[in-house]
Amino acid sequence: MTELILALDVLTREEALEIAEETYPYLDAIKLGYPLVLGAGLSVARELSQFDLPLIADFKVADIPNTNRLIAEHVFESGFSAIIAHGFAGSDSLKAIVEATENAGGECYVVAEMSHPGALEFLSGETAEKIAQMAVDCGTDGIIAPATRPERVKALRSIIKDKKILSPGVGAQGGDAREIAPLIDGMIVGRSIYNSENPAKEAEKFAFVRR
């Protein structure tokens, strides 16, 4: 069964907790990015832990090895279960995150290809495939690949084999949940859920599709 991951990109602690309270019965994980963490602080992870769901830090970490290690350590100390990194900084930078992740007993995912149209300018094709292979070689848990381009997900799957694929872009960006769910391990949905009049009802719809 494909997991349903809520991209909780709201701006305040209050809104985040309210939406999480409404939707958590239908979710398998919650992904937090800069919009929420910059507004509410890393401590919001501790507050969201009350819903007993894995929390993914979507910081797309991309720096030198030592800085990456420090960021990853701080992320896991703050209560997150997984971290998302970029691979274009190189294998030594990625390995630093993987080591910190293993020490914390967490998971590390690498962005192979993003879901928006501009990703096609640089982060696609051969570059994405090289990053996917790097993810395998460095011992990550999986990659991020675009729900908006199922054919690319299939191509990247042929490289990473049984490692996990988490896919953003379902809903607001045009990705089709029914088409992408059989190809991936985690379906990431954000605005279609948290911007709806009834987030719980929308989350339930996506939870039904992914089964």
Side-chain angles (χ1 to χ4, degrees):
M1 183 177 70
T2 304
E3 293 187 343
L4 177 59
I5 302 167
L6 173 62
L8 195 53
D9 292 327
V10 295
L11 302 180
T12 68
R13 171 183 282 103
E14 293 73 22
E15 189 175 7
L17 291 172
E18 180 181 350
I19 293 171
E21 174 70 35
E22 295 177 21
T23 60
Y24 82 90
Y26 309 107
L27 307 177
D28 297 290
I30 298 176
K31 182 173 75 71
L32 282 64
Y34 287 118
L36 178 57
V37 171
L38 289 176
L42 274 174
S43 61
V44 72
R46 297 292 184 192
E47 295 179 72
L48 287 168
S49 66
Q50 66 183 283
F51 301 109
D52 198 28
L53 291 171
L55 300 177
I56 303 171
D58 185 10
F59 297 162
K60 296 182 177 68
V61 185
D63 215 309
I64 65 170
N66 186 63
T67 301
N68 279 1
R69 177 181 59 78
L70 294 173
I71 292 171
E73 289 175 350
H74 200 34
V75 160
F76 290 114
E77 288 168 0
S78 297
F80 287 90
S81 304
I83 189 169
I84 295 175
H86 267 305
F88 58 73
S91 59
D92 55 348
S93 290
L94 183 54
K95 286 176 182 177
I97 298 177
V98 171
E99 290 173 2
T101 298
E102 292 175 344
N103 290 339
E107 294 184 342
C108 174
Y109 296 90
V110 182
V111 178
E113 186 169 326
M114 299 175 75
S115 53
H116 64 298
L120 296 174
E121 297 171 13
F122 296 105
L123 199 59
S124 65
E126 183 180 354
T127 299
E129 290 157 16
K130 286 182 177 179
I131 291 174
Q133 185 60 56
M134 183 194 302
V136 174
D137 296 340
C138 290
T140 69
D141 295 277
I143 63 169
I144 308 298
T148 50
R149 292 186 286 278
E151 73 284 357
R152 294 296 302 144
V153 172
K154 292 177 183 178
L156 294 169
R157 170 65 78 190
S158 69
I159 296 171
I160 69 163
K161 307 302 183 186
D162 59 352
K163 287 186 178 291
K164 295 180 183 178
I165 296 179
L166 309 185
S167 285
V170 171
Q173 292 189 61
D176 183 273
R178 293 185 183 278
E179 182 178 12
I180 200 66
L183 306 177
I184 61 175
D185 302 280
M187 180 168 59
I188 300 172
V189 186
R191 286 170 285 174
S192 293
I193 293 176
Y194 67 72
N195 279 341
S196 69
E197 292 185 3
N198 190 330
K201 184 177 180 179
E202 289 301 308
E204 184 179 15
K205 289 180 181 178
F206 283 108
F208 178 79
V209 168
R210 56 81 189 260
R211 294 181 188 278

